[in-house]
Amino acid sequence: MNHPFKSSAPALVLALAALLAGCASQRPATVVDINIATLNDFHGNILPSKFSYTNSWGFERSELAGGIDTIAAALQAWRAEDRELLLVGAGDLIGASPAISSMWADETTLGALNLLGLQATSVGNHEFDAGRAELLRQQKGGCVSPRPDKACKFEPVYPGAKFQYLAANVVDMVTNKPFLPAYSVQEAHGVKVGFIGAVLKDTAQVVLASGIAGLQFGDEAQAINRALPELRAQGVNVFVALIHQGGRTTDALDQPDCPNLKGEIVDLVKRLDPAIKVVISGHSHKGYLCRVDGRLVTQAETAGHVMSRIRLSVDTASNTVLETSARNVVMKQDQYPADPAMAAYMASVRRRSDEVLGKPVARLAVAKVARATGDDSSESAIGDLVADSMLAAGKPFGAQIAFMNRGGLRQDLLTSQGNNATLAHLHAVLPFGNTLDVMNLTGAQIRALLEEQWLQGRSVTRGLLQVSDGFTYQWDASQPEGQRLVPGSVLLHGVRIEDGASYRVVTNHFLAEGGDYFPTFARGASRAPTPIRDIDALAAYLAQRDRDGKPAGSEQQAGRIQRIK
């Protein structure tokens, strides 16, 4: 018996081939595809890590993803498809990094990004973590650094980034000129593409104030739009915005053309010149492929777990973008053949880093001291521990109370066999290397400081300050702003603090300058900056507790902060 489709199959194949050929012939010869790969919020994660997500099919996934060698392998494969592929970033590629990067002043990550062939990236707020002078050193090279204990320690000479940092909205107030270039022009398939970079305008509120003295952070959209006439004068008419600002959506990270994007990026995109068809975003650590007023707006998660692949179809005759599309690709392990140059580089980085980071610090009471308990409106076990270590370090300077910002605690404190914590474990928790400052605050200032935690006008939410042993208070979420503290509940060793009394407080230098929207810290009196780094204070505290036979650490927070409603 003859199959009903057997004799017609060749005809169907021929018909389909003819149809496809007809479609291909409809595309003008002047149209070319520009392929772009993007990273954002990499944060020095040159090693892979666990990544959990839900894809557009609704399937939940959890796997080891990312790592610079995986990214290099993917790019090697993609460049085999298009040797003129462009690689760009949207900020925070360094800063708040794991120990394997942060202990070397992020020079290991910058070297790896050079090997990747990164061409340009907007700065993020974390690129300013060590100040403007350090950012310029990282761009240009050299060893004169505010972090002499880290700079040029991986290699004796640091050559600088081969890619260009961009910041259209950051101006040097002394010269009234851009601190960094506003844009970078890259060419692919005969088309000039103008990449314009900007960082969130609130950067000054989330980095060390002294490190960015003299810099002004302006409106992102206005600054990007101002760059267009100059680019057009150079014959550039294809524009891509690299913006370190982001949003959130309920759509899956790989859902094409998602319509539900929310957050500050949405208004920002709406105010961009209509000629900008693609916006590559960051900062919110969320993966999405959305449309805002017809424009493509992407973000590729964080830590190198995902990369965005963007395609621009450009008519070279009119120098205009006809179509845009994108995919978010999870960087799964062993998906592509290894890149030999990156594999060799990472072998060297691992070897050098393991020699330092494997050193044991102390034995803890538990296997893990957790960073979070579900949301940012509560105390955490790691917050208690770090605050206690700061208080111990500050006691020779008269400290009675320690405050720690939750945003500075980047990971749980993990241990290896036998609950032993190594230097690597500590670096994962405190990668910034902040020094400690001691100051006097009145009781009234302490209460004002605590009320600042709930100010709704803050555009950045960092969660409650973590406090040291002996300091307790209660707060009521049902009360209006400025009145959340329960009257009479703010106690030091069980005694109510008095408005007119003075108390000696220790905190990190970032908070001491009023960072994270806590201006009261900047008003402290009798200030005493110390040379003690937060990570050194934690190491010393853990070691002392271990020597005393009372290992530190708990699985539960201590109940120093109580929410009553």
Side-chain angles (χ1 to χ4, degrees):
M1 180 177 178
N2 291 330
H3 193 283
F5 295 107
K6 185 175 181 181
S7 61
S8 61
L12 286 172
V13 171
L14 290 172
L16 180 59
L19 178 62
L20 293 173
C23 292
S25 66
Q26 293 175 11
R27 176 169 168 140
T30 57
V31 176
V32 298
D33 288 334
I34 308 299
N35 291 298
I36 304 170
T38 78
L39 274 174
N40 59 270
D41 299 274
F42 186 59
H43 290 294
N45 280 272
I46 54 179
L47 298 180
S49 55
K50 184 179 178 182
F51 179 46
S52 300
Y53 64 101
T54 302
N55 64 22
S56 57
W57 294 90
F59 296 123
E60 294 183 358
R61 297 279 187 258
S62 184
E63 54 199 339
L64 197 66
I68 203 74
D69 46 1
T70 300
I71 293 170
L75 287 168
Q76 179 178 248
W78 298 347
R79 285 175 173 135
E81 300 170 5
D82 180 2
R83 62 184 180 86
E84 296 187 49
L85 176 141
L86 303 174
L87 176 62
V88 296
D92 277 8
L93 302 188
I94 58 172
S97 308
I100 197 170
S101 183
S102 63
M103 68 178 291
W104 307 113
D106 281 313
E107 290 171 13
T108 49
T109 295
L110 293 164
L113 293 173
N114 285 342
L115 279 177
L116 284 185
L118 182 69
Q119 289 154 303
T121 181
S122 67
V123 289
N125 51 288
H126 281 288
E127 266 83 14
F128 289 96
D129 279 346
R132 58 184 289 178
E134 180 71 342
L135 174 54
L136 290 177
R137 183 191 76 85
Q138 289 170 327
Q139 173 73 86
K140 299 176 181 179
C143 296
V144 179
S145 168
R147 301 183 288 180
D149 58 318
K150 296 181 176 183
C152 295
K153 293 296 187 285
F154 180 69
E155 296 290 351
V157 176
Y158 169 64
K162 295 180 181 179
F163 56 89
Q164 181 61 60
Y165 277 119
L166 306 175
N169 64 325
V170 183
V171 175
D172 188 317
M173 291 187 288
V174 174
T175 64
N176 202 33
K177 294 181 179 179
F179 172 64
L180 291 164
Y183 59 82
S184 174
V185 177
Q186 302 293 327
E187 188 167 334
H189 302 291
V191 175
K192 292 181 178 179
V193 182
F195 292 97
I196 313 165
V199 63
L200 69 150
K201 62 185 178 183
D202 291 327
T203 295
Q205 303 299 325
V206 295
V207 300
L208 197 63
S210 58
I212 57 168
L215 296 182
Q216 184 175 41
F217 295 80
D219 182 86
E220 307 96 328
Q222 291 176 6
I224 290 171
N225 290 340
R226 282 197 300 268
L228 265 59
E230 190 172 327
L231 282 165
R232 287 188 174 114
Q234 299 176 40
V236 180
N237 205 46
V238 176
F239 310 109
V240 175
L242 307 174
I243 304 177
H244 192 71
Q245 179 58 281
R248 287 172 171 78
T249 179
T250 55
D251 298 294
L253 64 88
D254 57 346
Q255 177 65 50
D257 299 336
C258 85
N260 300 310
L261 187 62
K262 300 184 185 304
E264 295 193 25
I265 191 66
V266 176
D267 174 67
L268 199 164
V269 170
K270 289 180 177 180
R271 293 187 293 112
L272 291 174
D273 188 291
I276 299 172
K277 304 298 185 185
V278 176
V279 176
I280 299 166
S281 67
H283 190 55
S284 57
H285 293 193
K286 300 296 180 183
Y288 47 74
L289 305 166
C290 297
R291 295 280 175 179
V292 175
D293 286 354
R295 298 181 226 247
L296 178 62
V297 184
T298 71
Q299 189 176 160
E301 285 285 333
T302 181
H305 292 147
V306 174
M307 289 190 75
S308 297
R309 297 189 69 179
I310 299 169
R311 177 170 295 176
L312 310 181
S313 293
V314 179
D315 186 344
T316 57
S318 60
N319 201 18
T320 57
V321 177
L322 302 179
E323 187 179 358
T324 63
S325 61
R327 290 188 294 144
N328 271 344
V329 183
V330 177
M331 292 289 97
K332 300 177 182 178
Q333 301 295 290
D334 303 319
Q335 194 171 16
Y336 304 101
D339 178 300
M342 188 64 78
Y345 178 77
M346 282 305 299
S348 171
V349 171
R350 288 188 179 95
R351 184 176 61 254
R352 290 284 311 284
S353 300
D354 287 348
E355 293 172 359
V356 179
L357 295 173
K359 295 178 180 177
V361 173
R363 181 170 56 92
L364 271 61
V366 294
K368 180 177 80 170
V369 185
R371 172 177 176 260
T373 55
D375 59 43
D376 283 343
S377 63
S378 61
E379 181 182 343
S380 71
I382 189 60
D384 292 341
L385 180 61
V386 171
D388 288 349
S389 72
M390 294 166 68
L391 180 61
K395 278 188 175 179
F397 302 88
Q400 300 166 279
I401 308 165
F403 292 105
M404 176 64 193
N405 56 315
R406 281 191 68 137
L409 302 167
R410 304 306 292 191
Q411 301 288 340
D412 297 339
L413 177 54
L414 303 175
T415 62
S416 52
Q417 189 173 9
N419 295 353
N420 287 301
T422 66
L423 191 57
H425 294 134
L426 270 59
H427 267 282
V429 177
L430 297 170
F432 297 108
N434 271 310
T435 55
L436 303 183
D437 284 15
V438 185
M439 68 184 71
N440 287 352
L441 293 176
T442 65
Q445 286 177 315
I446 289 174
R447 289 194 301 103
L449 176 71
L450 296 176
E451 292 287 0
E452 286 168 359
Q453 298 176 115
W454 303 292
L455 294 182
Q456 296 302 309
R458 300 197 308 174
S459 62
V460 178
T461 301
R462 294 297 186 191
L464 295 188
L465 293 168
Q466 305 295 286
V467 301
S468 56
D469 185 33
F471 185 81
T472 60
Y473 69 90
Q474 298 175 330
W475 66 286
D476 184 348
S478 68
Q479 294 301 309
E481 185 177 300
Q483 301 176 41
R484 297 279 172 87
L485 289 176
V486 174
S489 73
V490 185
L491 310 175
L492 180 59
H493 300 299
V495 178
R496 184 184 303 180
I497 67 166
E498 300 295 335
D499 281 359
S502 183
Y503 300 87
R504 199 74 171 146
V505 168
V506 60
T507 190
N508 61 53
H509 189 56
F510 169 60
L511 283 179
E513 292 195 348
D516 263 0
Y517 293 85
F518 288 104
T520 295
F521 276 123
R523 304 185 187 110
S526 302
R527 305 171 76 89
T530 82
I532 303 169
R533 296 189 305 161
D534 51 10
I535 190 171
D536 295 332
L538 179 58
Y541 179 73
L542 296 178
Q544 186 61 55
R545 288 285 299 267
D546 191 9
R547 287 193 296 270
D548 292 344
K550 300 177 181 179
S554 171
E555 293 179 346
Q556 303 295 326
Q557 51 92 356
R560 299 166 187 175
I561 304 170
Q562 296 181 5
R563 177 176 175 172
I564 64 171
K565 288 183 184 178

